[in-house]
Each structure stands twice: as structure tokens, then as C-alpha cells.
Amino acid sequence: KALGLPVIFHGAQPRQVVMSHLKSSDIFIHSSYPGGGLSTSLLEALACSNATIATPYEGANEIIIHKQNGFLLTDSDPQEIAEALTNLLHDAALRGRLAVQGKETVYRQFNWQESANRYHTLLTSSH
């Protein structure tokens, strides 16, 4: 537990356990540093209806629109993360709205039909 809050740091876990945790969670913090591609864990958390707080790295800035489908922070600043978390903990309506919008974003942008359309556009526009 973290400072008496209902936060548990589990470390590496099997995928089934991680998905179970995501499905039973309300908030997901995607705190990362520059250097990675689009994070699968970010997409999974959004798809599991977690209100999400994300630093702008590992593709979060490509999917999160600040206060529309999550909190997109300016950097990996602990104070900024704490402020966003406090906002979500104290505002159930905001937490619920971001959870719904985040899930809708993932299902709209990352479905098979959308992927096929993007490949089709890419392949046909190069000629």
C-alpha cells in the first residue's frame, strides 16, 4: 500500500492477473519517460474503463486528449501526477466521464476496420 491509500504496487504479473486488476480498477496512472512506442498497457487500461492519467510519452500524446478522455500531463512530474490523481479521486463524475470517453476512443481508433482503412489509405496513396 502507498501512504495508507488503496494503491498496491504489484510488480511483474502474468497477463491474466494484470487484466483482472485493470477490470477492477477505477484509475490508471501511465507514468513513463521518453523512448517507447505506443503502450499496450495504456490501451488496455483505457479499454477497461479506467480514468487515465498519462505522461506524454509512449504514445499517450497520440491518444489522450487532456480532460476529454484522460489527463495528459506535460511531463513525469510527481506533483503534476498527484494533482491529477487528487482531481480524479474527488470528482466521481469526471472520473466516470473520462473512463467512458477513454474506452470509446480505444474502440473507435483501434478496431480492425479502422486498421484496415488506414492500411488501405497508406497503400493506395503511395502510388
Side-chain angles (χ1 to χ4, degrees), residues 1 10 19 23 25 47-48 74-75 82-83 110 116:
K1 296 225 178 209
H10 292 283
M19 293 308 293
K23 289 177 183 177
S25 297
C48 288
T74 58
D75 203 2
E83 289 171 13
F110 296 91

Side-chain angles (χ1 to χ4, degrees), residues 57-115:
Y57 311 113
E58 292 189 347
N61 61 344
E62 297 174 26
I63 191 166
I64 301 290
I65 300 169
H66 186 60
K67 291 190 179 178
Q68 289 186 26
N69 62 356
F71 273 84
L72 183 62
L73 307 180
T74 58
D75 203 2
S76 299
D77 175 42
Q79 184 62 39
E80 194 176 5
I81 294 169
E83 289 171 13
L85 181 57
T86 299
N87 283 330
L88 287 178
L89 289 172
H90 292 142
D91 191 339
L94 175 62
R95 191 170 59 244
R97 184 174 58 79
L98 294 180
V100 168
Q101 292 300 318
K103 183 174 185 171
E104 287 179 4
T105 298
V106 170
Y107 280 89
R108 185 176 57 253
Q109 294 182 10
F110 296 91
N111 63 65
W112 285 111
Q113 186 59 53
E114 183 61 28
S115 294

